[in-house]
């Protein structure tokens, strides 16, 4: 039986999604819990391979299992075995050919910024502390250049493993969540490594995004923002 899992996690204590020897990862914890419940676990795939420190509200996993609890009881059973910083929000039976990564039509991310002059103990691993002035309306106007199809090589490491650097951005905006928090929200068909974080870093440095969307080198964009402000919020199929 093939399952579709919706998974949320706090990325603070993980070395990213992908399983690694001698490192605590989200995939490692999820696979351990699945193997405790099911007689066979094969073909585990994920929609978003998040980096160290990045969070997820609704990442999607596909996996083939045998035995174990039925789908309607699987989330509760898995959560009983998972650590407190990972939770399965939903489980459903999927078509036999469903693949969480290859069948995804778009992914959405949010990057949160704490804008007060005083740092926040509660937001220390949830948002980037930015005590300097930041014009959300100006940042939003700048970000509209991202809509459509562009070459994003300026926003990913030079030694990237991606062969194609063109991505299609479907929705983008900067918003004031409240008087203390601003957020960058973006939806695209897929993302390059560090793409969202480098877009944020470039905007925070006051740089214009439009000229960088024509295949400019990485050196012309801004710094990569730290991972703890980034969340994978939704995957569409």
């Amino acid at each position: 039986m093939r399952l579709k899992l919706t998974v949320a996690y706090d990325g603070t204590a993980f070395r990213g999604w992908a399983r690694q020897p001698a490192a605590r990862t989200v995939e490692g914890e999820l696979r351990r819990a699945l193997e405790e419940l099911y007689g066979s676990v094969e073909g585990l795939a994920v929609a978003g391979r998040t980096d160290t420190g990045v969070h997820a509200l609704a990442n999607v996993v596909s996996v083939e299992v045998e035995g174990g609890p039925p789908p309607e009881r699987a989330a509760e059973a898995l959560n009983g075995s998972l650590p407190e910083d990972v939770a399965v929000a939903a489980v459903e039976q999927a078509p036999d050919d469903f693949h969480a990564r290859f069948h995804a039509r778009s992914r959405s991310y949010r990057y949160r910024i704490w804008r007060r002059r005083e740092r926040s103990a509660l937001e220390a691993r949830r948002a980037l502390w930015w005590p300097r002035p930041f014009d959300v309306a100006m940042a939003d106007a700048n970000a509209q250049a991202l809509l459509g199809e562009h070459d994003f090589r300026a926003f990913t490491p030079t030694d990237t493993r991606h062969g194609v650097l063109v991505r299609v951005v479907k929705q983008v905006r900067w918003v004031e969540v409240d008087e203390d928090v601003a957020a960058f929200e973006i939806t695209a068909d897929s993302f390059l490594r560090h793409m969202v974080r480098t877009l944020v870093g470039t905007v925070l440095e006051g740089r214009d995004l439009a000229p960088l969307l024509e295949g400019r080198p990485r050196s012309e964009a801004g710094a990569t923002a730290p991972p703890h402000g980034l969340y994978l919020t939704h995957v569409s199929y």
Side-chain angles (χ1 to χ4, degrees), residues 122-230:
L122 297 180
E123 292 281 357
R125 294 294 180 266
R126 302 286 184 272
L128 171 64
W129 179 35
W130 192 257
R132 286 169 260 178
F134 180 64
D135 189 323
V136 175
M138 186 176 296
D140 183 56
N142 190 8
Q144 298 312 304
L146 300 174
L147 288 169
E149 183 176 280
H150 302 285
D151 186 327
F152 284 92
R153 73 184 63 225
F155 303 98
T156 194
T158 303
D159 60 347
T160 180
R161 59 181 172 79
H162 296 283
V164 178
L165 301 176
V166 172
R167 296 294 185 268
V168 179
V169 173
K170 301 181 178 183
Q171 295 179 331
V172 65
R173 65 174 185 168
W174 278 92
V175 295
E176 291 194 25
V177 178
D178 55 40
E179 63 180 356
D180 296 326
V181 177
F184 176 60
E185 298 178 347
I186 184 169
T187 298
D189 56 347
S190 64
F191 289 84
L192 303 173
R193 185 176 177 226
H194 296 174
M195 176 174 155
V196 178
R197 291 163 54 196
T198 308
L199 287 168
V200 170
T202 302
V203 169
L204 290 176
E205 291 180 12
R207 303 196 191 191
D208 190 2
L209 294 174
L212 300 171
L213 298 172
E214 301 173 356
R216 306 306 301 166
R218 173 66 185 88
S219 59
E220 295 189 16
T224 301
H228 60 268
L230 183 61

Side-chain angles (χ1 to χ4, degrees), residues 66-87:
E66 289 185 2
E72 61 270 20
R73 290 176 40 219
E76 182 179 3
L78 285 166
N79 286 334
S81 184
L82 287 166
E84 63 181 5
D85 48 2
V86 186

